Amino acid sequence: MPLFFRFSCLSSRENHLNHLVFKYNEHKNIGSLDPAFAKDLADIWATNQLFNGLVQMDNDMQVLPCIAKSWTISEDALRYTFTLRKDVKFHKHELFGKDSTRTVIAKDFEYSFKRLLDPKVASPGSWVLNKVKQFRTINDSIFEINLKQPFPAFLGLLTMKYCSVVPEEIVEHYNSDFRSNPIGTGPFKFKRWEENIKLVFRKNNNYFEKDKNGVSLPYLEAISITFLPDKQSEFLQFAQGNIDFISGLDASYKDEILTADGQLRNNYKENVNMIRGPYLNTEYLAFFMDADVTEIQSEYIRKAVNYGFDRKKMMIYLRNGIGIPANGGFIPKGLPGYNKNIGFNYQPAKAKTLVNKFKEETGIAHPEITLTTTSNYLSFCEYIQREIQKTGLQVNVDVIPAATLKDAKANGKLNMFRASWIADYPDAENYLSLYYSKNFAPNGPNYTHFKNDTFDQLYEQSFTETKTEKRKLLYSQMDSLVMQKAPVVVLFYDEVIRFTQKNIKGLGINPTNLLDIKHVKKAN
C-alpha cells in the first residue's frame, strides 16, 4: 500500500475518532523517542507515553509502583530489592517472534541500566546511576540495586524516563535508529513520525494499568503532536480549537488570555480551563563568589540587591501574576524543606543603607556591578536594574546568547548572571547541591563557588538521614545558611500553568511539569 494512502487513511480515522484523539503542539521539536536521551521536556513528554520504569511519580510527588509492584530497602539503606509484575508486555513487534511481544523480566532492567551507563551510547542520563555500586537479576521477577552510599532521593531518581525499560532485541536491531522506532511498555505505542511535521501514538490495548474502578488505561485512542515552531501560532491553533492543550505563558499571548492579576479573561472562560500549581523551578541571579571584584565580594552589596526591588510587583507587571514571588530560600515552594521566612523582602531604605555602608568602608564612591542575561529575561533584569539604581548602586545589563552564558557561568567568567534551576528529581537535595563546595563548576553545579563548612557537614549528614521530617529540617537549615550569605538573589518560584479545552478531563498538574495522558478523557 502506498505510504501516502496509508497516512491518508490514518488521518481519516483520526478525524472520525476526533473525540478520542488528544492533540497538542511541540514548538521545540522532539530530538529522540529513545528514553536514554530524554533530556529535554519535549522528549520527556513524548517518551512518558511510550515507556515505563520500575516506579513512577504521582501528581503529589509520591513514588508509586509501576513495573515493580513492590520493593524493600535494607536497614543500611544501601540495597533496594524490586519485585516485578508478571503482566507487563512490550509493544508488539515482529522481532519478538510468533507472539509479536513478550513479558518484561528483570534481565530487561539489567540490560537497560547497562545501556544507560555504556559510554558508546553516551546517554546524557548516565549520571542518574552515579551512586549505584551494582545491579543484578535475582530471577525473572526480582531485580536488585546496591548503592555506594545511602541516598534518600534514589527512588525519585528512578522515576526519570532515563530509567525506562527497553527490549534488548529491538534496540540491538535498530541501534541509533531506535530513536525513531521506539518499542516500550507504555499506555501508548508508536505509530508514525514525520519529523518536524507530525507524530502519532496509538492506544496500547495490552497496557497493564487500570484505574481505581478496574477500567483499563488509557481511555483515549490516540495522541497527535504537531510541530508549529512558535508559541503565537500554537496559541492561535488552541484558540481555534484545533489543539486540546497548551502549557506555559508566552509573552506573545499572555495579555490576550490573562488579566494583569493572572485570571482568565471573560472571552475565554466559556471554552477554556486553566490549571496552575507550583513548578520545581527557581529563577535567580547569582554572584560568582570568587570574582576579583570588591562589590561582588561584599555581603552589603549582595544583600542590598536582595532587598532593593519588589518581587510581587515584578511578577504582576512581567508575568501577569504567574509565579510565586521568592521571599523564601532557594528551595522552591512545593518541596519539603521550603521555608517562606528565610529569604528577603522589599526594603528599599535598608538596601540604600547597605550600599552606603559599602561606600564608607571601601571608599568606593560609585559602586557598580554588571548583570549578564539572555534576551528572554532582559525585561526582568531591566526592572531590577531600575529599582537597584535607586539605592546608589550602578547596575549594567549585558545581553549575550544562551549558549555563551551557559559556558561562561560554568567556567567562572561572569561576575553576576541570571539563571534558573529546574529539579532533575523531586528532592530538595537537588537544589542544595548547588552550594556544596565539592560541586564547584565546571565539575558540578556550584556556579557561585559558595563555600561554607557548616553547610557541607549538614549536606553530607542529610544522606544518612532516612527519616523524612528530620531530613526536611536539615534541608531548611542548609537553605537558611545560604540565604544568610546571599550568594544569590532568588527572584521567583515558577508555576506550571496549563490551558485546556473545556471537554478535556483528567489532565492533572504536577511540580515537575510531566505530561501524563493515560488518565485523560475527551468528551464529544
Side-chain angles (χ1 to χ4, degrees):
M1 185 184 294
L3 194 63
F4 172 76
F5 182 68
R6 256 196 305 129
F7 282 1
S8 298
C9 288
L10 185 62
S11 296
S12 299
R13 181 165 167 73
E14 280 176 21
N15 289 333
H16 178 64
L17 296 172
N18 190 46
H19 69 287
L20 292 173
V21 180
F22 185 83
K23 294 177 284 188
Y24 76 93
N25 183 68
E26 194 50 81
H27 72 281
K28 284 188 176 177
N29 293 329
I30 286 170
S32 176
L33 295 174
D34 181 343
F37 294 89
K39 185 173 188 276
D40 298 326
L41 198 60
D43 298 8
I44 292 168
W45 280 9
T47 54
N48 191 48
Q49 319 314 322
L50 301 173
F51 294 92
N52 299 102
L54 291 163
V55 288
Q56 61 187 326
M57 192 80 67
D58 70 5
N59 286 339
D60 297 319
M61 299 291 94
Q62 299 300 308
V63 177
L64 301 178
C66 193
I67 294 177
K69 63 181 179 181
S70 62
W71 58 88
T72 57
I73 305 172
S74 62
E75 278 191 32
D76 61 7
L78 292 175
R79 188 175 68 253
Y80 289 67
T81 306
F82 297 90
T83 302
L84 307 190
R85 299 176 64 127
K86 295 179 180 178
D87 59 347
V88 181
K89 295 186 182 297
F90 285 112
H91 300 152
K92 291 193 172 185
H93 195 286
E94 59 190 16
L95 284 171
F96 286 128
K98 62 174 183 156
D99 294 328
S100 299
T101 184
R102 67 169 177 82
T103 303
V104 173
I105 57 175
K107 279 277 187 195
D108 293 312
F109 278 100
E110 189 174 328
Y111 168 76
S112 301
F113 283 20
K114 281 179 180 174
R115 178 173 180 258
L116 196 60
L117 293 171
D118 187 347
K120 292 177 188 166
V121 175
S123 165
S126 60
W127 64 268
V128 171
L129 301 178
N130 278 353
K131 290 184 169 63
V132 173
K133 182 179 180 182
Q134 64 174 24
F135 45 83
R136 62 189 182 124
T137 298
I138 306 299
N139 57 45
D140 283 357
S141 300
I142 308 290
F143 183 63
E144 184 181 280
I145 302 174
N146 290 278
L147 303 186
K148 298 171 187 172
Q149 66 178 87
F151 186 55
F154 183 62
L155 282 173
L157 274 180
L158 290 180
T159 67
M160 297 180 72
K161 297 322 293 180
Y162 292 133
C163 299
S164 300
V165 69
V166 295
E168 180 176 4
E169 54 267 66
I170 308 295
V171 176
E172 297 302 320
H173 173 76
Y174 285 111
N175 292 313
S176 60
D177 285 338
F178 185 68
R179 68 175 285 280
S180 53
N181 293 276
I183 294 291
T185 57
F188 295 90
K189 59 187 179 181
F190 175 74
K191 186 65 184 179
R192 68 177 172 99
W193 187 13
E194 296 171 85
E195 292 200 35
N196 303 331
I197 299 171
K198 194 168 191 179
L199 175 59
V200 178
F201 301 149
R202 294 299 304 272
K203 178 178 183 173
N204 173 15
N205 290 311
N206 293 323
Y207 191 57
F208 60 93
E209 285 192 287
K210 293 178 167 56
D211 68 13
K212 60 184 179 182
N213 298 315
V215 176
S216 291
L217 297 172
Y219 303 118
L220 296 165
E221 281 295 324
I223 298 171
S224 176
I225 305 165
T226 51
F227 296 94
L228 292 169
D230 69 276
K231 294 290 282 182
Q232 194 166 9
S233 301
E234 179 181 277
F235 177 73
L236 193 59
Q237 287 297 302
F238 176 74
Q240 292 171 352
N242 296 326
I243 56 177
D244 296 311
F245 145 86
I246 52 173
S247 174
L249 195 65
D250 191 72
S252 64
Y253 60 77
K254 69 180 178 68
D255 295 322
E256 162 70 17
I257 196 167
L258 292 185
T259 60
D261 60 351
Q263 302 300 311
L264 267 179
R265 291 198 180 274
N266 289 334
N267 51 328
Y268 285 98
K269 282 182 178 176
E270 190 178 333
N271 299 314
V272 173
N273 281 326
M274 178 179 75
I275 46 177
R276 59 192 277 196
Y279 183 21
L280 298 187
N281 175 24
T282 297
E283 298 278 345
Y284 66 103
L285 309 179
F287 299 100
F288 182 57
M289 303 291 274
D290 284 342
D292 189 21
V293 176
T294 308
E295 286 90 339
I296 301 295
Q297 290 287 331
S298 170
E299 202 171 297
Y300 290 146
I301 293 296
R302 298 197 304 270
K303 287 186 173 177
V305 177
N306 267 290
Y307 283 120
F309 66 101
D310 189 333
R311 290 162 174 81
K312 187 175 180 183
K313 191 184 287 185
M314 178 180 75
M315 298 311 292
I316 291 170
Y317 286 164
L318 300 177
R319 291 267 301 208
N320 292 60
I322 302 300
I324 302 157
N327 299 120
F330 195 73
I331 298 170
K333 190 171 184 179
L335 268 188
Y338 164 76
N339 187 334
K340 65 180 181 181
N341 300 315
I342 61 174
F344 296 85
N345 50 21
Y346 180 45
Q347 296 188 48
K350 191 167 187 174
K352 196 173 285 188
T353 300
L354 288 166
V355 172
N356 287 333
K357 278 186 180 179
F358 172 82
K359 290 177 179 179
E360 289 166 16
E361 291 188 13
T362 63
I364 298 173
H366 303 289
E368 64 176 287
I369 55 176
T370 297
L371 169 56
T372 305
T373 184
T374 58
S375 57
N376 283 356
Y377 286 85
L378 180 59
S379 57
F380 284 93
C381 293
E382 287 181 337
Y383 171 82
I384 293 164
Q385 177 190 41
R386 286 193 299 272
E387 295 300 302
I388 298 301
Q389 288 186 163
K390 296 172 187 174
T391 69
L393 173 64
Q394 173 68 30
V395 180
N396 307 307
V397 176
D398 185 21
V399 181
I400 62 176
T404 309
L405 190 148
K406 185 179 179 182
D407 179 68
K409 76 174 183 180
N411 291 291
K413 294 177 181 175
L414 302 175
N415 296 330
M416 185 185 181
F417 52 89
R418 191 218 68 87
S420 63
W421 190 259
I422 300 173
D424 291 313
Y425 48 93
D427 191 283
E429 182 275 334
N430 194 209
Y431 287 86
L432 298 168
S433 67
L434 273 73
Y435 304 99
Y436 183 49
S437 66
K438 291 181 182 176
N439 284 342
F440 273 16
N443 300 315
N446 188 341
Y447 301 110
T448 62
H449 281 205
F450 174 84
K451 187 179 190 313
N452 180 284
D453 291 341
T454 307
F455 179 95
D456 286 352
Q457 289 166 9
L458 293 172
Y459 183 78
E460 288 165 7
Q461 185 186 335
S462 71
F463 286 126
T464 58
E465 182 53 70
T466 54
K467 290 187 172 60
T468 306
E469 282 304 309
K470 285 188 178 178
R471 202 163 72 250
K472 182 174 155 185
L473 287 172
L474 284 173
Y475 287 162
S476 189
Q477 199 177 340
M478 282 185 267
D479 206 7
S480 181
L481 279 171
V482 173
M483 300 314 291
Q484 284 167 29
K485 296 296 180 184
V488 289
V489 180
V490 189
L491 303 177
F492 64 94
Y493 315 115
D494 211 350
E495 287 186 285
V496 179
I497 182 165
R498 294 178 170 180
F499 301 98
T500 70
Q501 306 294 351
K502 283 280 189 188
N503 63 340
I504 298 296
K505 308 294 179 191
L507 183 70
I509 196 165
N510 54 76
T512 59
N513 198 16
L514 183 67
L515 183 64
D516 189 354
I517 302 176
K518 66 189 175 195
H519 291 100
V520 171
K521 292 180 178 177
K522 186 175 176 181
N524 241 329

